[in-house]
């Protein structure tokens, strides 16, 4: 087994030097004790992330440094962030927004968005950040399901994505506009945020917060049906903080850069909550990916810890050595990756060309925090996602030949016992950042678990839907997804959402959407369309369908390719057999998709 050994000197002082001992002694109660809790009682993420540092005399440390897209950007110390987030909490309270309301965010990575998210948590409102690349349809789906009462967005995004669907969002009472032209929109409940912030007080006392109160709702896509809103509570901060230390290896004085957008769970859990609770300085780049710019940021900002994703790393690799020529990256102490399979070639490239060891980590929107990781002080096995985080029990559930979970009579899952045998990655419930519900979908939530401690005395397992193997040393290896969800450039895309929009076109009888392997973004979205009688395939119709999908879904979700087929494969009950489409696309015998993943 080829392992990447690291420079011992840079590891002096790293957390989790002795994995076995840490697992042995770890308790969630001790992890909770690393945080302060609210002076008034309870636990509030924003207090732990911001005010706690001010209370401990660290208010002068820079909390967030925004690098402007074109202009200079803005820096906020922990003390300034406390003041600004207090103001925002007062703005919400002043508008009559009650605790428990849900605020949506729809903008680029701007300071006001980050301030609003933390301020809303102080006011005990829930927060649901959306991708700014979403079209009106994904925005409507999510805001309708979440009954969003407040939206923070830009004038441009409001005009393009929200105004056309505003009538369908009866719960949306307040739209707070940030950025350019914020005072130029005259519509009910729409107003610029800046004047409200200016006149609000910078003093706010967070009321006692129940650790089980909703903090974030992150929407994620499944195989069937519309997106699910995974509900996360304030208690999750215990897992964010401890993984910030143990996995990201954050220490006071670190300059940390998470490249993810808050529209993706990574950009919130690890772009905001975990690093701020660790008291480090976070870099937020407002611009989109650019290889030369990224290397410059790593050097000029003296980034010490970097959390990024395989698509971005592959793009850096493709940009070649010229993009980092002359850059000194020796200040970067620790690099982690998440979201899609991290190819061993990328790990080797990082090691050999940049002198950086890239540590893969695995988790999901539903798990709220990192569950499996390679650690700073321990060797990396390229291609493996690493070992379970202390406090987290990961096992594999056996699947039968038809790909169905094998369960005991009492409903508890049959676990894989042999090292190297494939199974579905399962995590023993509960843990602090485990989702507490899918909004309005109790049966979909219940379907994520198997076993029942109460009924059988056996543990309850959360079932991730991912297939994996665990080797004899406990390293977890990703095999593939057990469902039809598509991962493109790190984004989860539900095929049903895309199919539904294509079906709106009068020429379309059936639509089937799959992910086809792509060397850069992992998977590309591809649609197969069966036309109604009387319609003929043509390039014009294809262009029309692509345009419809882009307009309604946005560029991040719309299919890149559309093929016409005379008939789509359907089950007896009329469901699209996406696996058959996928096997056909890849030239594999039908149903034989087992060779798709990476294995040890
Ligand atoms: C944080 C996040 C979750 C799905 C997950 C899996 C894939 C995540 C991975 C990985 C291979 C890794 N995934 N990390 N696949 N190696 N290190 O990504 O959340 O957007 O909900 O996606 O992403 O399939 O089930 P989310």
């Amino acid at each position: 087994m080829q392992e990447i050994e690291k420079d011992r000197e840079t590891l002096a002082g790293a957390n989790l030097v002795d994995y076995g001992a840490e697992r042995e002694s770890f308790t969630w109660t001790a992890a909770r004790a690393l945080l302060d809790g609210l002076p008034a009682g309870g636990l509030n993420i924003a207090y732990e992330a911001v005010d706690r540092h001010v209370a401990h005399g660290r208010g002068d440390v820079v909390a967030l440094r925004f690098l402007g897209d074109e202009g200079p950007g803005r820096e906020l110390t922990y003390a300034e962030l406390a003041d600004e987030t207090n103001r925002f909490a007062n703005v919400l309270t002043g508008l009559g927004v009650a605790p428990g309301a849900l605020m949506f965010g729809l903008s680029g990575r701007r300071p006001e968005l980050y301030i609003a998210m933390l301020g809303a948590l102080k006011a005990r409102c829930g927060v649901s950040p959306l991708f700014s690349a979403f079209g009106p349809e994904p925005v409507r789906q999510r805001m309708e399901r979440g009954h969003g009462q407040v939206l923070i967005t830009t004038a441009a995004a409001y005009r393009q994505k929200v105004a056309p669907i505003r009538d369908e969002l009866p719960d949306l009472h307040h739209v707070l506009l940030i950025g350019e032209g914020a005072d130029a929109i005259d519509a009910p409940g729409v107003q610029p945020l800046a004047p409200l912030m200016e006149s609000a007080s910078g003093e706010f006392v967070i009321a006692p917060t129940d650790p089980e109160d909703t903090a974030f709702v992150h929407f994620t896509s499944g195989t069937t049906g519309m997106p699910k809103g995974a509900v996360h509570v304030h208690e999750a901060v215990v897992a964010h903080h401890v993984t910030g230390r143990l996995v990201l290896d954050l220490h006071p004085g670190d300059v940390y850069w998470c490249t993810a957008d808050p529209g993706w769970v990574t950009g919130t859990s690890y772009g905001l909550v975990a690093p701020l609770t660790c008291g480090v300085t976070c870099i937020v780049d407002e611009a989109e990916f650019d290889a030369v710019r990224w290397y410059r940021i790593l050097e000029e900002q003296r980034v010490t810890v970097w959390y990024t994703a395989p698509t971005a790393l592959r793009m850096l690799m493709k940009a070649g050595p010229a993009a980092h020529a002359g850059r000194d990256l020796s200040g970067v102490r620790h690099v982690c990756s998440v979201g899609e399979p991290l190819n061993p070639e990328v790990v080797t490239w990082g090691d050999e060309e940049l002198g950086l060891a890239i540590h893969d980590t695995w988790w999901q929107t539903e798990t709220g925090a990192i569950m499996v990781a390679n650690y700073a002080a321990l060797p990396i096995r390229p291609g493996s996602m690493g070992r379970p985080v202390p406090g987290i029990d990961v096992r594999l559930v056996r699947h039968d030949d038809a790909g169905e979970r094998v369960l005991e009579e009492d409903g508890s899952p049959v676990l894989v016992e042999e090292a190297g045998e494939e199974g579905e990655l399962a995590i023993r419930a509960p843990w602090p950042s485990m989702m507490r519900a899918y909004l309005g979908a109790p049966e979909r939530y219940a379907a994520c678990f198997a076993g029942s401690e109460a009924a059988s005395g056996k543990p309850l397992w959360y079932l991730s839907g991912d297939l994996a193997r665990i080797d004899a040393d406990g390293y977890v290896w990703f095999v593939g997804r057990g469902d039809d969800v598509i991962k493109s450039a790190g984004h989860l895309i539900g095929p049903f959402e895309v199919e539904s929009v294509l079906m709106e076109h009068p020429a379309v009888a059936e639509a089937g959407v799959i992910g086809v392997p792509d060397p850069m973004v992992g998977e590309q979205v591809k649609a197969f369309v069966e036309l109604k009688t009387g319609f003929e395939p043509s390039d014009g119709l294809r262009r029309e369908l692509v345009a419809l999908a882009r307009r309604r879904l946005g560029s991040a979700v719309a299919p890149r390719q559309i093929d016409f087929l005379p008939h789509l494969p359907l089950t007896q009950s009329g469901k699209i057999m996406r696996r058959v489409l996928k096997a056909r696309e890849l030239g594999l015998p039908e149903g034989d998709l087992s060779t798709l993943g990476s294995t040890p």
Side-chain angles (χ1 to χ4, degrees):
M1 174 70 52
Q2 182 79 34
E3 287 186 341
I4 292 191
E5 281 298 336
K6 298 173 222 167
D7 171 7
R8 289 286 123 196
E9 220 169 278
T10 58
L11 296 177
N15 288 317
L16 211 138
V17 180
D18 188 341
Y19 178 78
E22 186 82 34
R23 268 195 85 78
E24 201 56 26
S25 63
F26 185 93
T27 64
W28 286 113
T29 313
R32 166 74 172 75
L34 297 170
L35 298 169
D36 281 7
L38 276 178
L43 186 65
N44 187 296
I45 292 178
Y47 183 85
E48 302 303 331
V50 186
D51 300 11
R52 182 169 58 105
H53 303 297
V54 181
H56 289 278
R58 298 189 295 263
D60 290 343
V61 174
V62 174
L64 292 166
R65 184 180 299 141
F66 293 88
L67 308 179
D69 199 345
E70 279 151 18
R74 182 177 173 194
E75 201 171 85
L76 288 154
T77 64
Y78 280 92
E80 287 163 344
L81 190 57
D83 175 84
E84 294 277 344
T85 51
N86 284 347
R87 283 171 192 268
F88 190 81
N90 282 319
V91 166
L92 284 187
T93 312
L95 290 171
V97 178
L102 191 57
M103 178 188 88
F104 278 81
L106 182 68
S107 88
R109 295 175 289 277
R110 291 163 173 272
E112 300 92 326
L113 176 69
Y114 287 68
I115 290 166
M117 293 202 288
L118 292 164
L121 294 178
K122 287 188 167 181
R124 293 179 298 146
C125 294
V127 175
S128 187
L130 300 178
F131 268 115
S132 52
F134 277 156
E137 185 58 18
V139 172
R140 186 187 66 78
Q141 286 286 345
R142 287 158 176 81
M143 289 195 61
E144 199 176 36
R145 175 149 289 217
H147 300 284
Q149 295 182 21
V150 183
L151 171 68
I152 171 139
T153 188
T154 61
Y158 180 80
R159 270 195 211 98
Q160 279 169 24
K161 299 166 185 189
V162 185
I165 54 160
R166 183 77 195 270
D167 290 351
E168 295 165 69
L169 303 172
D171 300 308
L172 180 59
H173 301 309
H174 304 287
V175 178
L176 303 172
L177 296 180
I178 59 175
E180 263 169 48
D183 47 9
I185 293 185
D186 185 15
V190 181
Q191 57 184 317
L193 176 62
L196 297 174
M197 287 290 278
E198 235 160 75
S199 57
S201 157
E203 301 291 325
F204 184 87
V205 177
I206 306 175
T209 308
D210 186 334
E212 290 300 312
D213 278 352
T214 298
F216 291 105
V217 177
H218 290 294
F219 283 87
T220 181
S221 299
T223 304
T224 54
M226 287 304 173
K228 305 168 279 189
V231 176
H232 288 283
V233 298
H234 284 272
E235 175 81 8
V237 69
V238 177
H240 294 141
H241 181 67
V242 94
T243 50
R245 289 182 177 217
L246 297 183
V247 181
L248 300 176
D249 199 43
L250 294 174
H251 291 72
D254 270 326
V255 177
Y256 165 78
W257 183 25
C258 171
T259 61
D261 190 274
W264 179 31
V265 67
T266 305
T268 305
S269 291
Y270 294 100
L272 186 68
V273 179
L276 291 185
T277 65
C278 291
V280 304
T281 297
C282 298
I283 303 295
V284 181
D285 186 20
E286 296 180 31
E288 292 313 316
F289 176 86
D290 176 87
V292 171
R293 179 180 172 100
W294 276 34
Y295 286 122
R296 195 186 69 219
I297 291 174
L298 286 172
E299 183 189 52
E300 286 183 0
Q301 296 298 323
R302 299 196 182 83
V303 172
T304 54
V305 180
W306 185 33
Y307 200 17
T308 189
T311 293
L313 290 165
R314 286 189 292 262
M315 295 199 302
L316 289 176
M317 194 167 145
K318 186 175 163 213
H324 63 83
R327 291 280 169 217
D328 175 10
L329 304 181
S330 62
V332 183
R333 190 186 81 240
H334 188 44
V335 184
C336 294
S337 163
V338 68
E340 338 147 40
L342 178 66
N343 338 38
E345 308 83 80
V346 176
V347 179
T348 309
W349 163 82
D351 185 43
E352 289 173 359
E353 191 168 320
L354 304 181
L356 301 176
I358 305 170
H359 299 71
D360 197 11
T361 68
W362 177 94
W363 57 292
Q364 300 179 309
T365 301
E366 286 84 347
T367 71
I370 299 167
M371 299 281 109
V372 175
N374 291 281
Y375 304 92
L378 303 169
I380 295 176
R381 291 192 177 172
S384 156
M385 306 193 293
R387 284 181 282 177
V389 165
I392 296 296
D393 198 359
V394 171
R395 298 291 293 272
L396 301 177
V397 172
R398 186 168 292 162
H399 277 204
D400 63 19
D401 292 344
E404 298 293 327
R405 289 169 189 144
V406 183
L407 301 177
E408 308 268 15
E409 257 173 33
D410 62 11
S412 54
V414 176
L415 301 177
V416 165
E417 299 296 342
E418 286 286 303
E421 193 186 325
E422 185 179 309
E424 179 177 357
L425 203 154
I427 304 156
R428 186 173 177 163
W431 62 94
S433 64
M434 185 180 93
M435 66 161 169
R436 297 298 198 267
Y438 282 136
L439 267 188
E443 58 309 315
R444 289 176 93 181
Y445 177 73
C448 294
F449 296 88
S452 152
E453 212 130 22
S456 63
K458 292 184 195 159
L460 177 68
W461 293 93
Y462 164 74
L463 307 166
S464 73
D466 277 4
L467 301 174
R469 298 174 203 275
I470 302 181
D471 69 22
D473 299 318
Y475 282 80
V476 185
W477 301 75
F478 185 75
V479 172
R481 285 194 64 99
D483 59 19
D484 294 337
V485 171
I486 301 160
K487 257 261 150 154
S488 185
H491 301 279
L492 269 188
I493 297 167
F496 183 75
E497 259 186 285
V498 182
E499 290 160 3
S500 303
V501 162
L502 292 171
M503 298 280 287
E504 287 173 12
H505 193 280
V508 175
E510 295 281 2
V513 168
I514 61 167
V516 293
D518 178 275
M520 198 51 69
V521 296
E523 285 185 303
Q524 290 271 20
V525 181
K526 175 162 187 177
F528 294 88
V529 166
E530 178 180 330
L531 295 174
K532 286 184 186 152
T533 330
F535 291 92
E536 289 301 321
S538 70
D539 282 345
L541 186 52
R542 182 181 286 118
R543 277 196 298 274
E544 220 177 290
L545 290 170
V546 170
L548 167 76
R550 293 195 132 236
R551 195 170 61 244
R552 306 266 291 128
L553 294 164
S555 56
V557 187
R560 294 288 145 112
Q561 303 171 49
I562 297 187
D563 271 10
F564 296 106
L565 286 181
H567 296 289
L568 291 192
L570 300 179
T571 62
Q572 293 284 342
S573 58
K575 278 194 208 140
I576 301 278
M577 296 201 283
R578 301 192 189 101
R579 313 216 99 205
V580 174
L581 288 174
K582 191 153 181 172
R584 183 185 300 182
E585 176 72 20
L586 301 176
L588 295 170
E590 194 176 302
D592 180 14
L593 296 170
S594 56
T595 51
L596 288 179
S598 63
T599 44

